[in-house]
């Protein structure tokens, strides 16, 4: 049974999403699915700007108050872990631990404010990879931030293949960021996924993006329908 105590919520901002996924103005006119978005601020801010975004994550089965309490309970631990591993990060766009906390808490506050309305509107859906409750080709673009590849050891190769296949089923284009594991090394699953989805006939590329916080994490995997 999935419980709130299993969640370590840590949401990134709209600006971070745009840079992580190389999103341009024309991308934001498309129908976008965020997989594993958690308490990210992307959906809230993108919707405010007129974009069409749906986010899916099992954490959305909980109430905003429960998610807020869990954020408050885990934030200090996340910040302390980041402080202990500060050498694994690039302190340029985010210049300090204190700024990191401010940026991420602001993003999560934006999410929490938007969540009740967004859930009613169907923009926040309780669902998880590799089984999504959406029809084939429901979206133009599917994004997956800090889930696939990052949790290489925890999720396994079969999960990665199934999850990517599912995103390709529901969206014309898939973008996954970063390509690194939690230990800041390139995931050993990246090239097998490139090879497999190229074999299946997709247009697959590894693209540089204008974002690097995890050291060496400045690339995304892009998979497009032929």
């Amino acid at each position: 049974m999935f419980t709130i105590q299993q969640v370590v919520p840590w949401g990134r901002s709209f600006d971070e999403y745009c840079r992580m996924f190389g999103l341009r103005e024309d991308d934001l006119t498309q129908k976008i699915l965020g997989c594993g978005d958690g308490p990210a601020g992307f959906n809230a801010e993108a919707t405010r700007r007129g974009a069409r975004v749906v986010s899916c994550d099992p954490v959305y089965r909980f109430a905003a108050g429960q998610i807020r309490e869990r954020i408050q309970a885990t934030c200090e631990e996340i910040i302390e872990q980041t402080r202990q591993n500060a050498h694994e990060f690039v302190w340029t766009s985010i210049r300090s631990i204190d700024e990191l906390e401010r940026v991420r808490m602001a993003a999560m506050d934006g999410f929490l404010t938007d969540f009740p309305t967004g859930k009613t509107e169907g923009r926040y859906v309780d669902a998880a990879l590799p089984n999504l409750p959406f029809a084939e080709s429901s979206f133009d673009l599917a994004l997956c931030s800090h889930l696939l590849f990052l949790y290489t050891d925890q999720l396994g190769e079969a999960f990665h293949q199934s999850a990517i296949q599912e995103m390709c089923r529901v969206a014309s284009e898939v973008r996954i960021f970063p390509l690194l594991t939690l230990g800041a090394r390139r995931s050993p699953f990246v090239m097998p996924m490139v090879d497999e989805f190229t074999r299946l006939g997709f247009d697959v590329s590894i693209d540089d993006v204008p974002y690097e916080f995890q050291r060496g994490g400045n690339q995304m995997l892009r998979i497009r329908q032929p």
Side-chain angles (χ1 to χ4, degrees), residues 56-71:
C56 62
D57 196 295
V59 77
Y60 301 151
R61 71 189 61 178
F62 303 109
Q66 292 174 287
I67 300 172
R68 184 183 296 277
E69 288 177 2
R70 187 60 180 163
I71 290 170

Side-chain angles (χ1 to χ4, degrees), residues 5 11 43 45 49 80 101 135 165:
Q5 282 72 34
N43 191 319
E45 180 61 20
R49 295 175 182 229
E80 180 56 33
E101 184 173 4
Q165 186 72 60

Side-chain angles (χ1 to χ4, degrees), residues 10-29:
W10 196 234
R12 287 150 182 93
S13 68
F14 174 83
D15 177 66
E16 287 182 285
Y17 261 64
C18 288
R19 290 186 290 130
M20 288 188 302
F21 293 108
L23 296 175
R24 304 170 308 200
E25 287 298 323
D26 58 330
D27 291 319
L28 294 171
T29 66

Side-chain angles (χ1 to χ4, degrees), residues 47-113:
T47 299
R48 190 186 69 79
R49 295 175 182 229
R52 297 168 296 159
V53 180
V54 173
S55 298
C56 62
D57 196 295
V59 77
Y60 301 151
R61 71 189 61 178
F62 303 109
Q66 292 174 287
I67 300 172
R68 184 183 296 277
E69 288 177 2
R70 187 60 180 163
I71 290 170
Q72 293 170 344
T74 57
C75 177
E76 187 175 336
E77 178 185 350
I78 295 170
I79 290 297
E80 180 56 33
Q81 289 178 352
T82 305
R83 183 176 286 108
Q84 292 175 8
N85 298 286
H87 62 282
E88 294 184 2
F89 301 96
V90 178
W91 301 100
T92 51
S93 58
I94 296 175
R95 292 161 293 185
S96 68
I97 297 284
D98 289 342
E99 184 176 350
L100 173 67
E101 184 173 4
R102 288 195 300 271
V103 167
R104 297 290 166 79
M105 290 304 291
M108 291 188 284
D109 283 343
F111 159 79
L112 289 165
T113 300

Side-chain angles (χ1 to χ4, degrees), residues 65-200:
Q66 292 174 287
I67 300 172
R68 184 183 296 277
E69 288 177 2
R70 187 60 180 163
I71 290 170
Q72 293 170 344
T74 57
C75 177
E76 187 175 336
E77 178 185 350
I78 295 170
I79 290 297
E80 180 56 33
Q81 289 178 352
T82 305
R83 183 176 286 108
Q84 292 175 8
N85 298 286
H87 62 282
E88 294 184 2
F89 301 96
V90 178
W91 301 100
T92 51
S93 58
I94 296 175
R95 292 161 293 185
S96 68
I97 297 284
D98 289 342
E99 184 176 350
L100 173 67
E101 184 173 4
R102 288 195 300 271
V103 167
R104 297 290 166 79
M105 290 304 291
M108 291 188 284
D109 283 343
F111 159 79
L112 289 165
T113 300
D114 182 58
F115 181 62
T117 299
K119 191 170 183 179
T120 299
E121 294 174 349
R123 290 189 287 109
Y124 296 106
V125 178
D126 172 13
L129 292 169
N131 299 301
L132 300 177
F134 307 113
E136 185 174 340
S137 303
S138 297
F139 299 90
D140 301 305
L141 180 59
L143 311 176
C144 186
S145 160
H146 294 84
L147 175 64
L148 297 176
F149 301 132
L150 190 69
Y151 293 99
T152 283
D153 295 336
Q154 293 83 352
L155 297 177
E157 187 171 355
F159 180 93
H160 278 72
Q161 183 169 336
S162 297
I164 295 172
Q165 186 72 60
E166 181 72 343
M167 285 191 291
C168 289
R169 181 184 71 81
V170 302
S172 301
E173 180 177 337
V174 170
R175 299 182 191 180
I176 301 168
F177 178 93
L179 307 186
L180 303 182
T181 67
L182 284 170
R185 61 185 176 87
R186 182 72 163 264
S187 170
F189 298 159
V190 173
M191 291 315 298
M193 294 303 109
V194 169
D195 293 342
E196 175 63 13
F197 285 88
T198 299
R199 185 188 68 80
L200 291 172

